[in-house]
Amino acid sequence: MPRGVPVATVAINNATNAGLLAVRMLGVADPALQARMAQFQEDARNTVLEKTEKLEKVGWEEYLNSRE
């Protein structure tokens, strides 16, 4: 696309990211949806931080083995 034309791309077979993008776009006009998206992002952040803490504590090999 030429400069100045906003576009959003998501990977093929990645409906989750496409849906999240749609929610963000709709949230511009819907404060309740915007708040729910913010909560989702906070929850996702906390999940990542928990996984990071576990990974640092037990090491990558045990972490991967514990996920099976």
Side-chain angles (χ1 to χ4, degrees):
M1 282 298 194
R3 286 188 193 144
V5 179
V7 296
T9 58
V10 293
I12 295 171
N13 293 328
N14 197 348
T16 300
N17 283 347
L20 292 172
L21 176 61
V23 169
R24 290 180 132 204
M25 293 168 71
L26 293 169
V28 169
D30 185 339
L33 198 55
Q34 197 173 49
R36 291 177 68 189
M37 182 63 186
Q39 184 61 56
F40 174 84
Q41 289 175 304
E42 182 67 22
D43 293 345
R45 178 183 182 276
N46 291 337
T47 299
V48 168
L49 291 176
E50 289 170 9
K51 289 179 179 182
T52 300
E53 185 177 327
K54 180 179 179 183
L55 176 61
E56 289 173 348
K57 182 179 176 182
V58 302
W60 69 271
E61 289 177 326
E62 186 176 330
Y63 179 83
L64 289 179
N65 291 331
S66 70
R67 297 183 65 214
E68 293 177 2

